Amino acid sequence: KLPRLGSTAPVAPASSLDYWKDWPSSEAQPADAHSPLPSSSPLLSLPKVAKPVVPPLTPEQYEYYMYQEVDTVDLTQQVKDKLAKNGICQRIFGEK
């Protein structure tokens, strides 16, 4: 067994469903979507939508998750269900 890094215990979600609680309810509209005004129009200046950024794992989180077993069958089913519920096709999900 490897020694633990740091003195604090990693914070783990209560269940795998907690990972999905903040999942968007539908796919965000891309910034280059068609609009009635051209993007170069001086009348309308739309801010660029920032992509969500996932912070890097702490050493404690890395150690915790590195050695945790993953039920791939259950995880795959959860992803499929979440995509279907939110109307996101698997191909688009895979590309993004």
Side-chain angles (χ1 to χ4, degrees), residues 2-10 58-64:
L2 294 175
R4 286 198 85 41
L5 298 174
S7 61
T8 60
T58 65
E60 292 84 8
Q61 290 170 323
Y62 176 80
E63 183 177 337
Y64 178 81

Side-chain angles (χ1 to χ4, degrees), residues 14 21 25 41 48 54-55 66 69-70 72 74:
K21 68 182 178 187
S25 61
S41 170
K48 293 282 185 183
V54 178
M66 181 67 184
E69 290 194 25
V70 176
T72 55
D74 180 54

Side-chain angles (χ1 to χ4, degrees), residues 7 9 11 16 20 27 30 34 44 51 64-65 69 75-76 78 80 85 88:
S7 61
V11 177
S16 59
W20 298 105
E27 192 167 357
H34 296 288
L44 181 63
K51 292 184 179 182
Y64 178 81
Y65 292 112
E69 290 194 25
L75 182 59
T76 302
Q78 288 181 38
K80 285 182 175 183
K85 178 181 175 186
I88 302 169

